[in-house]
Amino acid sequence: MKTDNIFKLSLVSAALGIALTGCSVDLDFNDDDDDSAPTENPVTQVEFAEISVPLSLDAQQQVRASREVVVNGQIQSIAYNRIMATAYEDTQTGEIFGLSKDYMDEVITFEDGSDYICNGTNAGVGSGLDFNSILQKNGTLYMVSQFECQIGSIYVQELAQDEYGHLSPVEGTLEFVSQKDEFGGWVHCAGQTTPWQSHLGSEEYEPSGDLTVGDDGKTGNFYYDAIAPYWKGDLTMASPYYYGWTPEVQINSQGEAEYTKHYSMGRMSHELAYVMPDNRTVYLTDDGTNVGLYMFVADQPTDLSAGTLYAAKWVQTSKENFGEANLEWIDLGHATNDEIRAEVAKKPHLTDIFDFVDPDENDQCADGYKSISTSAYHECIKLKDINQDSVIDEKDEKIASRLETRRFSAYMGATTEFRKEEGITYNAKDKKLYLAMSEVARGMEDGSSSETGGYNHIAVDDNPCGVVYELDVAADSNMGSDYVAQNMKGLVAGIPADYADGDTYAGNSCDVNSIASPDNVAYLEDSNSLIIGEDTSAHINNMIWSYNLDNGELTRIYTAPLDAETTSPFWYKDINGFGYLTAVAQHPEGRESDMESEVGYVGPFRFNNQD
């Protein structure tokens, strides 16, 4: 909502005799969760009061958010509310929120003896708290939180909800979620609360499979070597193939957290796994340079342990508006968790999977080798007899498709040219996916030097401020899914800016009235509101926006402290009658004090009529 709308809001408030700072209005419509008939659900019209760009140091060091919202013409007061921050200590359980533990679930400390807390501002390697699921199980609210450090931790915490909808941690319930039975955790990035009320996470920036531990006990890769404390200093116990998967946490009937890694879904730089309404189709985004877009179709609803993986091929129809294309889906085969975990446990090396030769002086590959361009750029590769049964067949393809998903998908002709592919969300009302690309560059850019080798499927103009794309979905009987993306085109883009020294907004390199480096996105069910979070250095303060899908208007609704990324905004439309927009301010190093990453929510909202 822009400034003129705030004035209109004030007039409406005056006419109704309602103060803007204390109004919570009940709404009268039916919230139907049946995605099979979305047209029967009334549209929730949401308009936020816009907040300003923070200019003073005091404002820049705070979490700021809208304090008023109009929902279906009714005014409500909302606010930002912190739930908890890293280093929060539960005095009853003795657990510390974000404390890293090793493969024996023993506390890790730094050399000075202080606790290794993943907050993104200490001596640890990583960014801090990232995504938090709020799960409604056993008549209880559980918050499952994952941490984006190389030693990726997960915690579960019960939440209390008062009569006004405010959420707070319940003392005596913070627990560490062990991942030791699945080789530990790694760089847990974005996630989703699944339709079946589980926490679906991610392991981003999978380490290269060619890393080898030397005589000094290190591989020479700083980020991978940072996991040594997890293995009590012995990297020979680890393998790069232990990481780059999709973890899931479920709460059982006894209130205990059950942890799984889904090897069936492939290994890549997982930003986010997003489950569609059929509880079977899952979109997988791959963060980095020259990466792919993937879709997994599970054999059974709510069970991601087995299924078929597909990779997208971009068939460009226009370079306008940062690209438009039809999508084809290349079948990468079927696999189960057990099949692939058995291969992971063997601790393979990259050269067990593919044979490599260097391109010639003309960048051509030798006969029998395929030319691909992935995050490793131009390579000439050939599939090997991985299982050593004297034949290269579908069994070898299955192993390669999961252990080296990006390389294998390029090998099969899929597109691996996307750049900084981030969050994804779904609008069932209009049957559209929304996908954030933090930067349109490198493999995506027409004429880029990153195009050596491979297919050059994507050839569009660059945009350093990023683009959110829109994808139409439809049923495809061959793939057994009603939610197959058909096409892709630009929806809303950031705008490069050159603010002169002395300008009010000097120091920002993208327009402060538009998005910059869109990261994760969230759609409010049956509404006009798409939420877009930022992970950028192009705005002095990272922001969260509400994008009005009806009129294309952007409204600034949240700003994070200096140096803090806004991670994983997520809508909860109905938790016991209250709605929430959760968000994390990650690694706020610019604060004068309190450098801890924190999770909180904007709200509570009232989207349903309550007595």
Side-chain angles (χ1 to χ4, degrees):
M1 183 184 300
K2 303 301 181 187
T3 304
D4 58 340
N5 288 331
I6 296 175
F7 176 67
K8 293 175 184 177
L9 175 60
S10 300
L11 292 179
V12 171
S13 175
L16 294 175
I18 300 173
L20 287 178
T21 58
C23 167
S24 180
V25 180
D26 290 340
L27 307 179
D28 185 14
F29 66 88
N30 176 42
D31 179 24
D32 184 356
D33 290 330
D34 181 9
D35 288 304
S36 64
T39 57
E40 296 177 3
N41 295 340
V43 176
T44 305
Q45 296 290 337
V46 179
E47 290 185 86
F48 288 88
E50 181 160 72
I51 62 172
S52 61
V53 176
L55 299 176
S56 69
L57 181 60
D58 179 65
Q60 290 175 339
Q61 290 181 333
Q62 298 177 30
V63 176
R64 301 162 63 247
S66 297
R67 299 189 64 84
E68 291 96 27
V69 66
V70 177
V71 180
N72 289 352
Q74 303 292 328
I75 305 165
Q76 299 181 29
S77 288
I78 53 174
Y80 172 75
N81 302 269
R82 178 194 276 201
I83 298 176
M84 59 196 296
T86 50
Y88 163 86
E89 183 173 2
D90 189 317
T91 57
Q92 294 183 33
T93 66
E95 298 286 0
I96 299 175
F97 192 51
L99 178 61
S100 300
K101 298 187 181 183
D102 64 24
Y103 79 98
M104 297 181 69
D105 290 343
E106 296 176 347
V107 171
I108 300 174
T109 58
F110 294 119
E111 291 183 0
D112 64 2
S114 61
D115 289 334
Y116 191 136
I117 296 174
C118 179
N119 61 15
T121 64
N122 57 27
V125 177
S127 299
L129 176 65
D130 198 293
F131 178 67
N132 309 78
S133 287
I134 299 178
L135 311 180
Q136 301 177 70
K137 301 284 288 189
N138 311 320
T140 302
L141 298 182
Y142 300 89
M143 183 173 72
V144 180
S145 305
Q146 61 185 38
F147 290 80
E148 192 181 9
C149 285
Q150 260 56 19
I151 301 173
S153 299
I154 299 178
Y155 278 81
V156 62
Q157 165 78 54
E158 289 185 22
L159 296 179
Q161 182 185 47
D162 68 18
E163 61 182 312
Y164 305 106
H166 299 301
L167 302 176
S168 59
V170 176
E171 189 74 10
T173 65
L174 180 64
E175 295 291 344
F176 177 78
V177 178
S178 176
Q179 301 171 78
K180 66 181 182 181
D181 291 339
E182 298 299 339
F183 314 113
W186 165 274
V187 194
H188 295 309
C189 193
Q192 182 197 16
T193 298
T194 69
W196 56 91
Q197 295 298 299
S198 72
H199 172 102
L200 196 62
S202 57
E203 292 186 335
E204 191 181 35
Y205 299 131
E206 86 286 10
S208 177
D210 63 354
L211 297 177
T212 302
V213 179
D215 293 339
D216 62 354
K218 300 179 181 179
T219 68
N221 181 292
F222 173 74
Y223 291 100
Y224 181 73
D225 290 350
I227 65 167
Y230 181 81
W231 299 102
K232 293 189 180 294
D234 185 1
L235 277 175
T236 64
M237 297 178 65
S239 165
Y241 289 97
Y242 287 173
Y243 311 115
W245 306 100
T246 301
E248 183 177 13
V249 177
Q250 303 202 52
I251 305 298
N252 65 23
S253 59
Q254 286 76 45
E256 299 166 337
E258 297 180 345
Y259 174 82
T260 307
K261 269 189 185 179
H262 291 304
Y263 305 99
S264 62
M265 299 175 74
R267 177 177 173 270
M268 64 195 77
S269 178
H270 285 285
E271 171 74 18
L272 177 67
Y274 188 88
V275 181
M276 300 297 278
D278 62 354
N279 293 338
R280 293 180 60 231
T281 305
V282 186
Y283 282 90
L284 306 166
T285 60
D286 186 14
D287 191 357
T289 299
N290 286 15
V291 294
L293 173 63
Y294 304 92
M295 178 180 63
F296 178 79
V297 181
D299 293 350
Q300 300 295 329
T302 75
D303 180 358
L304 305 179
S305 66
T308 303
L309 186 62
Y310 299 88
K313 179 180 178 181
W314 168 286
V315 182
Q316 187 158 311
T317 57
S318 173
K319 69 178 298 184
E320 299 302 314
N321 197 28
F322 307 106
E324 185 168 350
N326 295 321
L327 296 180
E328 298 176 1
W329 292 95
I330 294 176
D331 190 339
L332 302 184
H334 181 277
T336 69
N337 281 351
D338 290 344
E339 289 173 328
I340 304 304
R341 190 191 188 285
E343 298 299 326
V344 170
K346 296 175 184 177
K347 299 170 69 172
H349 190 272
L350 175 60
T351 54
D352 297 326
I353 302 170
F354 288 107
D355 188 26
F356 296 83
V357 297
D358 293 331
D360 65 20
E361 64 275 10
N362 297 315
D363 277 327
Q364 300 300 305
C365 293
D367 290 345
Y369 290 80
K370 288 193 178 181
S371 174
I372 67 168
S373 181
T374 64
S375 52
Y377 295 106
H378 187 201
E379 294 178 320
C380 299
I381 67 173
K382 181 168 62 175
L383 186 64
K384 297 183 76 169
D385 177 15
I386 304 170
N387 62 359
Q388 298 184 339
D389 63 356
S390 301
V391 62
I392 299 174
D393 57 12
E394 66 275 4
K395 295 177 183 178
D396 302 297
E397 291 178 345
K398 176 182 293 191
I399 297 170
S401 73
R402 290 342 194 246
L403 269 62
E404 287 290 334
T405 302
R406 190 182 308 111
R407 279 189 173 94
F408 184 75
S409 64
Y411 187 82
M412 296 294 289
T415 299
T416 53
E417 299 167 19
F418 297 105
R419 163 68 178 159
K420 291 299 295 176
E421 185 182 79
E422 305 283 354
I424 193 166
T425 191
Y426 181 59
N427 169 359
K429 176 175 65 71
D430 299 316
K431 296 184 178 180
K432 293 182 183 294
L433 284 163
Y434 305 106
L435 172 63
M437 213 75 66
S438 278
E439 182 183 38
V440 175
R442 304 195 188 185
M444 299 182 73
E445 183 184 357
D446 192 10
S448 168
S449 60
S450 298
E451 290 294 347
T452 302
Y455 311 112
N456 196 21
H457 290 158
I458 308 177
V460 301
D461 295 331
D462 74 312
N463 186 338
C465 298
V467 176
V468 176
Y469 288 86
E470 177 182 83
L471 299 79
D472 293 305
V473 305
D476 189 308
S477 58
N478 292 327
M479 287 185 271
S481 172
D482 291 335
Y483 298 96
V484 178
Q486 306 293 304
N487 50 46
M488 186 168 168
K489 63 181 180 181
L491 175 67
V492 56
I495 303 169
D498 185 13
Y499 295 106
D501 291 344
D503 189 287
T504 300
Y505 302 123
N508 294 278
S509 57
C510 292
D511 191 333
V512 297
N513 293 308
S514 188
I515 60 174
S517 307
D519 187 21
N520 274 286
V521 290
Y523 173 71
L524 175 63
E525 178 188 350
D526 296 319
S527 79
N528 64 326
S529 177
L530 175 67
I531 299 299
I532 305 171
E534 296 181 345
D535 175 12
T536 188
S537 59
H539 284 162
I540 292 174
N541 288 81
N542 275 251
M543 308 175 190
I544 295 178
W545 303 83
S546 175
Y547 178 75
N548 189 314
L549 293 165
D550 293 336
N551 59 25
E553 185 176 89
L554 280 165
T555 302
R556 187 185 308 103
I557 66 171
Y558 173 110
T559 61
L562 288 170
D563 300 321
E565 175 187 343
T566 65
T567 69
S568 300
F570 198 87
W571 273 116
Y572 296 90
K573 190 171 184 180
D574 185 4
I575 298 179
N576 299 321
F578 296 96
Y580 305 88
L581 175 62
T582 57
V584 170
Q586 189 184 70
H587 55 71
E589 295 182 81
R591 285 178 167 176
E592 291 180 353
S593 61
D594 190 6
M595 300 299 189
E596 302 299 330
S597 298
E598 67 178 74
V599 56
Y601 61 88
V602 180
F605 300 82
R606 300 295 293 269
F607 295 120
N608 302 304
N609 183 50
Q610 298 288 321
D611 294 332

